[in-house]
Amino acid sequence: MDQNTPRVEPVIAVTDLRRSYDGQVVLDGVDLSVPAGSVYALLGSNGAGKTTTIRILATLLRADGGTAVVAGHDVATAPDRVRESISLTGQFAAVDEILTGRENLVLVARLRHLAEPGRTADELLARFALADAGGKRVATYSGGMRRRLDIAMSLIGDPPVIFLDEPTTGLDPQARLEVWRTVRELAHGGTTVLLTTQYLEEAEQLADRIGILHGGRVIVEGTLAELKALMPPAEVRYVEKQPSLEEVFLAITSTESTEGSLR
């Protein structure tokens, strides 16, 4: 790096993070660094500690050791400042099914003491392609629509950092693609996104950098290209390319939707 180039501090910086439950070590020295405006995917199997890491960064859980800084604030010594800078979307959409989509957004905007909650709600409904459904009860929404509404609610107040804990769990392929599009738009707009996932394809599609959490530590991290370079050189073979089941599903359902709209 050129000596004249100013050093850019990461928006999320974690060093030697540790946490145990009843003597069971879950995090055993986690280190990670997330630049501003990027998408960082934390991969790991069930029980690897992904959600524990997110909960510590979101100030919902105290670490046993190590340090974590989010948006320039230490999660242990300045939790209130951290909460002002973040939003957290968990594995299940935290929306009120009795209310309409717009009412959910207005409620959160009022809780955040925004001056024009109605205007904020309408802007987010348009941004997340939910304007036509804004007046309908959330109980009538599809899984993808609920997740988009959930993420829209998390953006009220323009937090610079978003935590997405397994955002596409339980969603069908089409809904998952909708969420992927939303995450890409967030990062394009300058929001820093840390997401956890078990889906390798999700990390491939979304992440600027990927960390693999295993045995309580991030054992390797880097760009997709850097991680692929860790493997032996690819052996070139000529094979017949067959569509995946997901590609078949999306092709059939999109065709049915098109034909149905023409009837």
Side-chain angles (χ1 to χ4, degrees):
M1 179 182 292
D2 192 310
Q3 292 183 351
N4 296 322
T5 302
R7 182 183 178 186
V8 179
E9 294 294 331
V11 173
I12 302 172
V14 177
T15 304
D16 197 30
L17 201 64
R18 299 176 181 273
R19 175 71 193 195
S20 299
Y21 293 101
D22 299 324
Q24 178 77 30
V25 176
V26 178
L27 303 181
D28 190 24
V30 170
D31 299 308
L32 62 86
S33 177
V34 183
S38 66
V39 178
Y40 188 104
L42 192 59
L43 295 179
S45 57
N46 280 333
K50 303 186 303 295
T51 296
T52 297
T53 301
I54 291 290
R55 286 174 61 82
I56 291 174
L57 294 178
T59 75
L60 299 176
L61 188 67
R62 279 192 170 274
D64 295 333
T67 61
V69 176
V70 177
H73 309 295
D74 190 290
V75 300
T77 61
D80 290 344
R81 299 299 300 273
V82 172
R83 294 186 194 112
E84 291 173 357
S85 306
I86 69 168
S87 190
L88 168 64
T89 297
Q91 296 180 23
F92 304 100
V95 295
D96 191 322
E97 294 187 351
I98 297 176
L99 301 179
T100 66
R102 188 177 189 276
E103 288 170 341
N104 270 277
L105 292 165
V106 168
L107 175 61
V108 175
R110 286 176 174 168
L111 290 174
R112 287 188 174 267
H113 306 291
L114 298 191
E116 299 180 85
R119 177 181 173 184
T120 298
D122 291 337
E123 289 176 349
L124 286 169
L125 287 170
R127 177 177 175 182
F128 287 87
L130 291 170
D132 292 341
K136 299 177 182 178
R137 290 177 56 187
V138 174
T140 66
Y141 283 20
S142 67
M145 292 169 68
R146 292 187 190 205
R147 180 54 83 185
R148 294 209 312 275
L149 177 63
D150 195 24
I151 296 175
M153 291 166 62
S154 72
L155 291 181
I156 292 175
D158 295 320
V161 180
I162 300 289
F163 296 123
L164 300 177
D165 190 13
E166 302 198 19
T168 60
T169 296
L171 297 185
D172 61 49
Q174 186 62 49
R176 188 164 68 249
L177 292 178
E178 291 176 10
V179 173
W180 288 1
R181 176 181 58 80
T182 299
V183 173
R184 291 190 188 99
E185 290 176 355
L186 289 177
H188 184 71
T191 302
T192 303
V193 180
L194 173 59
L195 67 89
T196 69
T197 183
Q198 298 182 60
Y199 304 129
L200 304 186
E201 184 187 6
E202 189 157 278
E204 288 190 45
Q205 290 289 331
L206 297 177
D208 298 299
R209 297 188 71 80
I210 300 166
I212 298 177
L213 186 61
H214 182 73
R217 298 187 178 197
V218 177
I219 57 174
V220 65
E221 76 97 35
T223 65
L224 178 61
E226 289 170 344
L227 296 186
K228 286 185 175 181
L230 298 175
M231 300 297 292
E235 179 182 353
V236 178
R237 293 183 179 180
Y238 295 94
V239 297
E240 182 180 351
K241 174 67 167 63
Q242 294 291 332
S244 67
L245 181 58
E246 181 171 311
E247 290 171 332
V248 172
F249 176 88
L250 292 172
I252 292 174
T253 54
S254 62
T255 301
E256 287 291 327
S257 298
T258 303
E259 291 179 350
S261 65
L262 295 176
R263 290 172 187 166

